[in-house]
Amino acid sequence: MGKRARAQWLEFMGIGAMCLLTLGCNTQAWPETYPVVGKVVTKDGKPHTSGLISFMLASDPSIKCGGGIAEDGTFTLNTVSRAEDASSKTFTGRAPAGEYDVSIYPYPGTAGGGRAAYTLKKKYIIEPNESNDITVVMEPVVK
C-alpha cells in the first residue's frame, strides 16, 4: 500500500472510530428548566398539608421532578438529571417545560396516609417561562 493510500485508510479508520465513540455517548443535552412553585389543595380548596408531589413528563417518563408539600400546601419542584455515567445535576426549584402526570404521596399517619399514592386525573403544564405557579387539585384517578 502506497503512502497516500495508507494515509487515506488511516483517516477513514479514524473517522469511523470517532463515529462509533459518538454513538456510545449520551450527547443529548438536558432540556432547559424553568422555576416552578405551587400549592396542593383538596377539591373544596383546602390545602393538602403534607406528603410528596411527583411530576412525570408525559412525553418522556424518564424525566421526573418532585418536592415536599409544606403544612400550608405549598411546594417547590426540583429536578435531578441522571447521566449514564452516574453523574447527576440538581435543578433546585426548576423543571423542564411540558405536560406532566402528577402523583401525590401522603405521609403515613396524615390525611390520606396509608395509600401508596394518588395519581391525579388532570395533567399539569409547566410553561417555558420564568413564572410557573401551579395549583394542583387532588382529584385522584378512579381505578
Side-chain angles (χ1 to χ4, degrees), residues 56-113:
M56 182 173 65
L57 189 60
S59 64
D60 184 354
S62 70
I63 296 180
K64 296 176 182 144
C65 317
I69 301 169
E71 288 182 11
D72 63 355
T74 59
F75 66 87
T76 300
L77 282 187
N78 301 301
T79 306
V80 177
S81 69
R82 304 249 185 247
E84 290 177 6
D85 65 358
S87 66
S88 64
K89 180 177 180 182
T90 301
F91 299 94
T92 304
R94 301 178 72 83
E99 184 177 58
Y100 285 81
D101 293 306
V102 178
S103 296
I104 305 290
Y105 297 85
Y107 291 138
T110 62

Side-chain angles (χ1 to χ4, degrees), residues 20-77:
L20 286 174
L21 286 173
T22 302
L23 288 175
C25 297
N26 183 1
T27 58
Q28 184 178 13
W30 186 258
E32 178 98 21
T33 60
Y34 303 92
V36 182
V37 296
K39 187 170 191 172
V40 180
V41 298
T42 61
K43 285 194 265 185
D44 60 358
K46 294 180 182 172
H48 182 74
T49 60
S50 68
L52 300 172
I53 188 165
S54 173
F55 281 56
M56 182 173 65
L57 189 60
S59 64
D60 184 354
S62 70
I63 296 180
K64 296 176 182 144
C65 317
I69 301 169
E71 288 182 11
D72 63 355
T74 59
F75 66 87
T76 300
L77 282 187

